[in-house]
Amino acid sequence: MTYEFKLPDIGEGVAEGEILKWMAKVGDQIKEDQPLVEIMTDKVNVQIPAPRTGKVLQITAKEGDTAKVGQTIMIIDDGTGDGGASPAAAPAPMPDHAAASPQPQQVPSPQSVLAAPATRRLARELGVDISQIAGSGSQGRVTDEDVKRFASGSRTGPPTATVQSPPTAVPGANLREELVPLRGVRKTISERMLKSLQTTAQVTHVDEADVTELVLLREAFKGSAEKRGVRLTFMPFIIKALVPALKEFPYVNSSLDEQAGNIVLKKYYNIGIATDTEQGLVVPVVRDVDKKDIFELAGEIEELADKARKGQLTLDEVRGGTFTITNVGAIGGLFATPIVNVPEVAILGLHKIAKRPVVRDGRVEIRDTTYFSLSFDHRVVDGAYAARFTSRVVETIQDTKKLLSEVL
């Protein structure tokens, strides 16, 4: 029986994706759950597994095509019933590009160029032929920076990695103003942040923590972490300090199902780590943090962050979060008010650790301190409840014995 493999809804507000790479061709036998196709979206690159075992009869969206969610991209004969298409009905197999003879003088058609839909739109807006651009991204992908550099007349040299793309002049703008197209990940972030603020009642609570003992504890464990081949940051300790607080205050680890009229209390702890990348902000998820020690968490955080920066996160690595942490401590500032990552109801902002004067037992001492800022949806979490939750996190962080009992 033939099965139509449709581009699944991968969440995160994504409505379409570009077929970046097929991992099977017409005539191949595939097994359920094997990596089948890599999709590039404006949010993240994901590898989608085969939905079932069978034989590939037809590929209806080739590499470079942009497919909508729900669109059939492959037809599979799963071997049940009188399946399969007749030879006359089935289109010719896709050419095996890897086996084709090289044609160095031939310019590839625009459709075969690896580039996100937003990047293609930018090229059109700037009047640039994207097929003439040598991509500097992963697997030769053309990036926004490549397009802008090409449009400005520069043809060589990779772009300098930046978090925020510099403004680019758009034809028609006057000399005193520049028009910057809202596109790609930035457009997605814009839409999600606006939706978060428009659909939730957000409040931020800020508390101070003396992390002197945490700094010493991290130093004590760094050697053991290095022997395991992982870099130990403060993040795993913060995550482990969150667990008892999330268990004690379950409404912080929840979501609101408005249609059903239910608050969904999550009894599992999947922590999203907001990660700054060249493409924009992405949030990979570390699952079941209550079941992992600090070394396991450190290794997983490092791996996910690396994949995020390379645009190699899978679907499962960016969904299913129950609570999010965003860390701007390395950048600076006193504290910020992060926006809740809906459908979650709370997000914790971590900030710079600095030596500050602190009064202890009537004396002024220099201690390592920081600020925690908890933004929450007041429809689900009351202010006093949020304050108690944050105090519980601070209490665990400041008490070496309590923290040790959580991290090991």
Coordinates of all heavy atoms in Angstrom, one line a residue, residues 12 62 153 160 164 234-235 335 373:
E12 N 7.0 25.4 16.8 CA 7.8 26.6 16.8 C 7.3 27.7 15.8 O 8.1 28.5 15.4 CB 9.3 26.3 16.6 CG 9.9 25.4 17.6 CD 9.9 25.9 19.0 OE1 10.1 27.1 19.2 OE2 9.6 25.1 19.9
K62 N 12.1 18.0 -4.3 CA 13.5 17.7 -4.4 C 14.3 18.7 -3.5 O 13.8 19.7 -3.0 CB 14.0 17.8 -5.8 CG 13.8 19.1 -6.5 CD 14.3 19.1 -8.0 CE 14.2 20.4 -8.7 NZ 12.8 20.9 -8.8
G153 N 28.8 44.5 -3.3 CA 29.9 44.5 -4.3 C 31.1 43.7 -3.9 O 32.0 43.5 -4.6
T160 N 32.1 38.2 9.1 CA 32.4 38.1 10.5 C 31.2 37.7 11.2 O 30.1 38.3 11.0 CB 32.9 39.5 11.0 OG1 34.0 39.9 10.2 CG2 33.3 39.4 12.5
Q164 N 23.8 40.0 15.8 CA 22.8 40.8 15.1 C 23.3 41.3 13.8 O 24.4 41.9 13.7 CB 22.4 42.0 16.0 CG 21.3 42.9 15.4 CD 20.0 42.2 15.4 OE1 19.7 41.4 16.3 NE2 19.2 42.4 14.4
F234 N 28.4 27.4 35.3 CA 27.5 27.5 36.4 C 26.1 26.9 36.1 O 25.3 26.6 37.0 CB 27.4 29.0 36.9 CG 28.6 29.5 37.5 CD1 29.4 30.5 36.9 CD2 29.0 29.2 38.8 CE1 30.5 31.0 37.4 CE2 30.1 29.7 39.4 CZ 30.9 30.6 38.7
M235 N 25.8 26.8 34.8 CA 24.5 26.4 34.4 C 24.0 25.1 35.0 O 22.9 25.0 35.5 CB 24.4 26.4 32.9 CG 23.0 26.1 32.3 SD 21.8 27.4 32.7 CE 22.3 28.6 31.5
F335 N 20.5 43.5 35.6 CA 19.5 42.4 35.4 C 18.6 42.8 34.3 O 18.5 44.0 33.9 CB 18.8 42.1 36.7 CG 17.9 43.2 37.2 CD1 16.6 43.4 36.7 CD2 18.4 44.1 38.2 CE1 15.8 44.4 37.2 CE2 17.6 45.1 38.7 CZ 16.3 45.3 38.2
S373 N 16.2 36.9 37.8 CA 15.0 37.6 37.5 C 14.0 36.6 36.9 O 14.3 35.9 35.9 CB 15.2 38.7 36.5 OG 15.9 38.3 35.3

